[in-house]
Amino acid sequence: MDETGTTPEHPMWLPEAVFRGLRDRTIAVVGDDPLLGTVRREADAAGMTEVPPSAEAELTIMPVADLATHARRIDAAAVGDLGTEGYAIAREGGRTVIAYAGAAGALYGWFHVVRAGLGDADTAGGAASDAPTVERHVPRHSLRMLDHWDNVSEHPVMGQVERGYAGGSIFYEDGRVREDLSRVERYARLLASIGVNRVAINNVNVGRREARLLTDDLGEVSRIAACFRPWGIRVHLAVSFASPITLAGLPTADPVDEAVQQWWADAATRVYAAIEDFGGFLVKADSEGQPGPFAYGRDHADGANMLAAALAPHGGIVHWRAFVYNHRQDWRDRSTDRARAAYDHFVPLDGRFADNVILQVKYGPLDFQVREPVSPVIPGLRETAVALELQITQEYTGQQRHAVYLAPQWREILEFAPFGDSGPTISDLSRGGIAAVANVGDDPFWTGHPLAQANLYAYGRLAWDPSLDADAILDEWAALTFGDDTTARGGIHRLLSDSWRTYESYTAPLGVGFMVNPGDHYGPSVEGYEYSPWGTYHFADRDGIGVDRTVATGTGYAGQYPEPWRSVYESLDSVPDELLLFFHHVPYSHRLRSGATVVQHVYDTHFDGVERVRAQVALWDSLDGRIDTAVHRRVTERLAEQLRSATDWRDQINTYFFRASGIADERGRRIY
Amino acid sequence: MDETGTTPEHPMWLPEAVFRGLRDRTIAVVGDDPLLGTVRREADAAGMTEVPPSAEAELTIMPVADLATHARRIDAAAVGDLGTEGYAIAREGGRTVIAYAGAAGALYGWFHVVRAGLGDADTAGGAASDAPTVERHVPRHSLRMLDHWDNVSEHPVMGQVERGYAGGSIFYEDGRVREDLSRVERYARLLASIGVNRVAINNVNVGRREARLLTDDLGEVSRIAACFRPWGIRVHLAVSFASPITLAGLPTADPVDEAVQQWWADAATRVYAAIEDFGGFLVKADSEGQPGPFAYGRDHADGANMLAAALAPHGGIVHWRAFVYNHRQDWRDRSTDRARAAYDHFVPLDGRFADNVILQVKYGPLDFQVREPVSPVIPGLRETAVALELQITQEYTGQQRHAVYLAPQWREILEFAPFGDSGPTISDLSRGGIAAVANVGDDPFWTGHPLAQANLYAYGRLAWDPSLDADAILDEWAALTFGDDTTARGGIHRLLSDSWRTYESYTAPLGVGFMVNPGDHYGPSVEGYEYSPWGTYHFADRDGIGVDRTVATGTGYAGQYPEPWRSVYESLDSVPDELLLFFHHVPYSHRLRSGATVVQHVYDTHFDGVERVRAQVALWDSLDGRIDTAVHRRVTERLAEQLRSATDWRDQINTYFFRASGIADERGRRIY
């Protein structure tokens, strides 16, 4: 019932109201980089008046080097090293000064002001005699990337956007790059406002049509890059490892073949001739049918380094995905464990990757499940730049039909300390930055489910600063998007804040994963993957369930972790309840550390989860009249589907566990 | 590895060798109906010499009425009533006479001679003084139909031929009727040679494009009809009940609306203006998303009769399918039983259907499973013409990748006596004839699996004469197709004769049905439909499996049968083993009448089934050199896949039952 035809494009978190406080205020901008031009146009559009640099300007944006001249009371030494993207912000006597080192810092500083407001010049005047407070904002990760799984031509099964739940691609239409890219420009602005600085514009599963983006379509790619460039964002392409064969007719794509190397070098030269600030290549190789170096008896370092050599003269990067496993596994083979695959493939190659190779690692060892342990590949690679890969598009988390705010999950991942509390976190170890699969499309709300905008927003903010609190980001987003109504904002907070755990509660329990319908990955199918070639099994029988991944008696996956986690996961006494079935096969009567049995936990969480969704529905209904009508209607529709689907999950999971175990619910609730 | 591009079109059961015995023999044909022209062209192509009617002609084809003139020694009274399609064949002194009443009888008589040969004039001469033996051949069913589930435009999921396993459509290509219909002409000849006389040329799921066959494309349909006409075959169209809305823009398709009735009457008039011998409409209404009379509060008699009224002035027929059920069932609802649906919908309407309505009923209450009880709708309808619907295309029986000869199943169905041994059979009760879903495509072997040609052949032969022995048909087909090598023919006989039961042995056991992968219906997925909306469940838990369809404690489906079957199916003491789980939910330890427990039966049949396939592979290998190379290679490929798939079935089914029951195989074989 979505009225996609008539609903106007939603402004996401930058509605006009956000800029109201800037109207008729004065701004001074020092510098002439093109990105400063962007800032000036933004300020002008916001109704600000540009003035020459002076103490009178209510907002001054200037290079750090000019602080001494124009803003004497702020000490450049206190500002410190801002890198190319950082900024410092000082509030002084009702005046705000943003200092930048690189021009991108000016842009990010500008959006800081947009988010936080300029303050009131009159009331702030009283503090004129105090030394100004200087806040430094430098991104924790220098590469903050979005991966679009967009196909140029519509894939017969996957559609135009693989795992896209928000309509068609904003880049492509009718098998080519869109004529009108104005939406891409608005998208770039939204991304800049949350700090994203890299975008891969096509699917990592590179079809024959998409492969040609690298060659025939460079002019078109250049048009897309031009939309992103004013916003400090560089464009990357996903490329097919077989391109020398499929595009150029070479007899091989062997990475040690000189003609192949030359072809890639020439391809890179052509790309940079067309797009000077091109970001680099993103590669899914030897994975789920994509071509790769294995066909030639080469390893992934050989493959990645060959591409890296082609890009290096131009400053380009190879993002090489670690998502490599045997997707034609035989379920009868209990010795193979897909969870082990990335580590087994890549850790032995540590130290062999070129400097401009980044190994991009999914957060968990399987595939973006609602709950997985953090991938041991990230701590396992000591000498390789690693990028953490998250998934904003809700492939396994409700497909933007369920309201699921993912930032709490991402925070857990980013803060996970693989070597123990005193060691580095996953964020610290992701020296190659963060990448995430995008969740937007040509839907009027951008993300299908309007509340899924929060995930895109939170991703950008966390990629910049992983220490931000998930709830604080949520509130920041809600304030920008929904305005001043505290009832509305509070309601949205309550609806979303714990929604990830709500989703977990009514879907696959205790870290067991993959109880979704094969193919579309939506809705329950407890045995859907149990006899499949995909390597995702739970081994439920009449006695128990779970995968023994211990070193002692299982696949040994737990041994891929450093201490303390190796031991924590190895033992039933210490494994966290929420990962129990990921690491251990236990009887249904096994008692969790929470005190409940496994089967009773399943019943309890599934009954409870549906009630939580029901409460969300009621909460949202109560906000009718406080929220934009089109948004409210769309979310109402989606919540109805979420409740239906959650009920389906509850009943199928509960029935499955009851049929298997024969153990009744202690509380006598209805199991079908 | 099929080499569809280079392999020449296979002649099926009419290779040149079949006609060798006719070369240089003499034929006299009396009559001038166009179908006699077909016979003359056939005879000429076979190298026969046409001679004037006289006692000298080795083969004489003439009207019954002329027997007295031209073949005095055959008594017209002994020939009896041949109807419009029957023929009598007399061998007399080395001469063969075929007598017909309607011209179609001449055509069928001709193909009888093609199949059986003309005999040797020299050796037969000795019997000249005996009175000739007269065999009467009159079809048991006057309507012997093939339903093609071909789409004009390729369906995004179902492809060009729904449930087609032999390539694209022979009728359509690139979204329109093929320019070159010569293959359709050859197909028509093949069908005539086995007695098929009706063909519905488009899918019962009628898409928007296909609906226009009835209107815009009549000229094209007429071209197809012209291909079939010389072979005594009339063309039917599947139509969409919503056509008045979708094609004509009327506000309704309500069957009592006069404008709707008029639209259909006009449509029928236009069809017959273009195609004088048009057969009629085939309708899937209110089923799996197809439109129907329910939308207007009308019943299926209202809907069918409205179309029947439009066709009646032209002598057309409505085939109205009884395959109506709730395909959005809730698995939690244990009171609804899809098996009951057709009976519950249609038996109350008995007596209300117009004379030119035929209710087309699938052989079982569910959907073409390898084993189902025969539909109780057929005995349930006393005053309605019923057509039995079979499925030649192997949707649920191995999809023409498994060698499965279906005639034994069809024979069981046709011979089933719903009122007990002394009562009429299903064949007797199918007064509206027999229809079957076709299995051909533009594959060079017509049917993908060359051995699947046997099913098409057997269908035609059984539709003509349901009393034919399945093995005899198989041998007849093998002799025509593979020629004189008795080793080859014997091998094919052994491979196919019991192949239906072999397939049953390694797939869903004991009549439980639907353990296939959802969607494509190929390969095992024991729980694939267990929580689906399709109404096909087995209710397995840790204790037992099966569907209680008894009157006493179940859904009451068994009560839809007349005695004696109602009681036979109702009781565990009398239900046939092969249908046990269709009618009863029993513990895994339940002892079959065979003496084995359910679970041990599952293990035994599944281990045995794979061994039988392995023996088939060896048998086929031994025929290398005795069979056409391309055929041998294709069958070898398919058998390899069958063995792989059968092994998959064995292991998944056995593992599932072992995990659920915890009961080990008595013989200690490997269960994963």
Side-chain angles (χ1 to χ4, degrees), chain B residues 487-492 495 618-627 632:
Chain B
T487 304
R489 284 156 57 171
I492 286 162
L495 201 158
L619 173 60
W620 186 256
D621 284 348
S622 77
L623 300 182
D624 193 11
R626 295 182 174 274
I627 306 271
H632 194 273

Side-chain angles (χ1 to χ4, degrees), chain B residues 236-255:
Chain B
H236 297 236
L237 284 177
V239 298
S240 166
F241 198 79
S243 294
I245 299 171
T246 54
L247 297 181
L250 296 191
T252 179
D254 186 343

Side-chain angles (χ1 to χ4, degrees), chain A residues 332 530 542 651 659-660, chain B residues 332 530-531 542 651 659-660:
Chain A
R332 288 165 282 221
E530 196 56 18
R542 73 200 313 265
D651 292 337
R659 286 187 183 180
Chain B
R332 289 165 282 218
E530 196 53 20
Y531 301 91
R542 73 200 314 264
D651 292 337
R659 286 187 183 180

